[in-house]
């Protein structure tokens, strides 16, 4: 009989199991605590934080698309101080890792929030350099190799926490960007953020999202995400949190076979608030059935046809 240990070590961040939730789709956990036991989740990546509160973009900022959704929330959040004072104590009631998703318009912003959170009770910082919904910063950093090197190394210098760098899919060579993040101090990588998208109302001829463009997520993006996780797996040594369209446990296994050490569930939470627990149960069943002792045993386990 195999003895399954579900824990995964993300290069210094130890998750009790490989299931995390994706930033921006789980708030600060409060809304979901009525539906699931937050103790069952390996880690919670909270809504993207900025130094000062942000109102976000004008509505409409979320629309449904075939097999997915486009959002342009624009990093609405109460600011890092409210997070530290009100949300960390709430999350700390649960045995789950707190991953603070950090954002900024400038390198100084990113460093400021990383410094502030280094003194706070969070387990990891997730540097979001891939948000398509802000005018300055965000994806502009994550798609330019020089800027990736600059922002990651500067944040690494001040951050006293485990550091995840969240990559954008909106690039030509994600392996190159991943290597740069690794070389400049990332402890782990997470991917993918949303793909840029747009939709138009044919009667009014107006974009369906007030900000014109937004980020596409959900099952429609999964094959793209699997491919990019596989590319990054081939390029770097550090652990990978894979995400993009995970709706069921089979998707989670597929991400691990592509090269992920852990997975993150986003859009699916809106459809089924219990999805994280269901995915954990299904993946556990798969590990047991196949005599697997640790989730990381199947990392990158895809076999190619001859
Ligand atoms: C409504 C919404 C808000 C999001 N906000 C953030 C955010 O604040 N920070 C971030 O790094 N990613 C954000 N994302 C991206 C997700 O964390 C995730 O990378 C992406 O949606 C792909 O996963 P999924 O297809 O499972 O949703 C957001 C996604 C959605 C749908």
């Amino acid at each position: 009989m195999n003895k399954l240990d579900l824990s995964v070590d993300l290069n210094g961040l130890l998750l009790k199991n490989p299931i995390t939730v994706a930033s921006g789709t789980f708030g600060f956990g409060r809304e979901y605590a009525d539906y699931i036991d937050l103790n069952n989740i390996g880690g919670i990546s909270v809504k993207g934080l900025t130094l000062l509160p942000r109102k976000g973009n004008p509505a409409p900022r979320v629309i449904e698309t075939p097999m997915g959704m486009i959002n342009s929330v624009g990093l609405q959040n109460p600011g890092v101080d409210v997070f530290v004072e009100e949300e960390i104590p709430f999350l700390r009631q649960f045995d789950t890792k707190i991953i603070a998703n950090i954002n900024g318009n400038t390198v100084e912003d990113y460093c400021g929030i990383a410094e502030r959170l280094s003194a706070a009770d969070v387990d990891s910082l997730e540097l979001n350099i891939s948000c398509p919904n802000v005018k300055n910063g965000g994806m502009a950093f994550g798609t330019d190799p020089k800027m990736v090197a600059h922002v990651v190394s500067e944040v690494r210098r001040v951050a006293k926490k485990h550091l995840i760098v969240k990559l954008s899919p909106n690039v030509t060579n994600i392996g190159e960007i991943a290597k740069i993040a690794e070389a400049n101090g990332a402890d782990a990588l997470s991917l993918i953020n949303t793909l840029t998208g747009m939709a138009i109302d044919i009667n009014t001829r107006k974009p369906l999202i007030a900000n014109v463009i937004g980020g596409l997520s959900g099952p429609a993006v999964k094959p793209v995400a699997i491919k990019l996780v596989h590319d990054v797996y081939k390029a770097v040594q550090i652990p990978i949190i894979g995400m993009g369209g995970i709706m069921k446990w089979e998707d989670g296994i597929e991400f691990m076979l592509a090269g992920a050490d852990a997975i993150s569930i986003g859009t699916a939470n809106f459809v089924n608030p219990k999805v994280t627990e269901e995915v954990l149960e299904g993946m556990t069943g798969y590990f047991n059935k196949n005599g697997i002792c640790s989730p990381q045993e199947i990392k990158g386990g895809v076999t190619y046809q001859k």
Side-chain angles (χ1 to χ4, degrees):
M1 261 309 266
N2 72 312
K3 179 129 176 32
L4 175 62
D5 175 359
L6 282 173
S7 66
V8 294
D9 183 354
L10 301 181
N11 198 12
L13 178 70
L14 190 68
L15 304 181
K16 71 201 294 189
N17 67 52
I19 317 294
T20 70
V21 286
S23 176
T25 65
F26 211 76
F28 299 110
R30 288 180 191 272
E31 295 85 349
Y32 289 91
D34 292 340
Y35 296 94
I36 56 165
D37 181 356
L38 299 186
N39 294 297
N40 289 334
I41 302 179
I44 295 179
S45 176
V46 301
K47 175 62 195 167
L49 297 164
T50 46
L51 271 174
L52 298 174
R54 273 178 73 108
K55 284 209 239 112
N57 292 333
R61 51 191 198 176
V62 179
I63 60 154
E64 207 169 323
T65 58
M67 303 280 285
M69 63 183 281
I70 298 177
N71 92 82
S72 181
V73 172
L75 296 173
Q76 179 183 342
N77 80 96
V80 69
D81 290 336
V82 171
F83 170 68
V84 170
E85 278 147 38
E86 294 175 16
E87 304 300 342
I88 294 179
F90 169 77
L91 284 168
R92 269 296 172 236
Q93 299 174 84
F94 305 97
D95 178 18
T96 184
K97 292 286 154 62
I98 303 175
I99 302 170
N101 184 271
I102 61 171
N103 297 268
N105 293 331
T106 62
V107 173
E108 290 72 33
D109 284 351
Y110 279 109
C111 289
I113 192 165
E115 257 182 316
R116 174 80 176 89
L117 286 167
S118 288
D121 187 14
V122 298
D123 299 295
S124 176
L125 304 180
E126 181 176 48
L127 180 62
N128 180 11
I129 49 169
S130 44
C131 180
N133 298 325
V134 286
K135 283 205 179 69
N136 304 305
M139 205 175 86
F141 280 105
T143 53
D144 175 343
K146 282 202 188 75
M147 286 305 294
V148 174
H150 184 44
V151 70
V152 175
S153 61
E154 287 298 299
V155 168
R156 175 73 286 171
R157 214 166 42 79
V158 296
K160 307 277 180 289
K161 299 277 181 184
H162 180 268
L163 182 65
I164 301 167
V165 176
K166 185 158 180 182
L167 303 181
S168 172
N170 303 304
V171 294
T172 317
N173 185 347
I174 200 165
E176 181 197 2
I177 303 275
K179 277 187 185 150
I180 293 170
E182 179 182 47
N184 284 281
D187 295 309
L189 300 172
S190 59
L191 66 144
I192 60 170
N193 207 318
T194 52
L195 285 150
T196 43
M198 181 175 168
I200 301 167
D201 180 324
I202 60 164
N203 296 311
T204 64
R205 300 189 177 192
K206 289 190 175 138
L208 285 166
I209 292 278
N211 195 40
V212 184
I213 67 144
L216 178 68
S217 63
V221 309
K222 196 189 82 178
V224 178
I226 294 282
K227 189 263 179 192
L228 294 179
V229 165
H230 189 248
D231 285 353
V232 170
Y233 167 66
K234 295 273 174 200
V236 299
Q237 304 297 318
I238 51 178
I240 297 168
I241 305 174
M243 73 192 88
I246 296 176
M247 302 299 285
K248 53 189 197 309
W249 68 264
E250 291 91 338
D251 300 332
I253 299 291
E254 196 179 338
F255 269 89
M256 292 195 143
L257 292 172
D261 298 78
I263 59 159
S264 202
I265 302 177
T267 301
N269 289 295
F270 298 138
V271 186
N272 172 13
K274 293 181 192 294
V275 63
T276 43
E277 290 185 336
E278 291 170 11
V279 168
L280 177 62
E281 195 187 325
M283 286 176 67
T284 304
Y286 175 91
F287 295 139
N288 280 327
K289 193 171 153 210
N290 290 284
I292 291 156
C293 300
S294 158
Q296 283 168 308
E297 256 178 54
I298 65 164
K299 173 180 167 121
V302 56
T303 52
Y304 310 100
Q305 283 165 0
K306 291 219 175 82

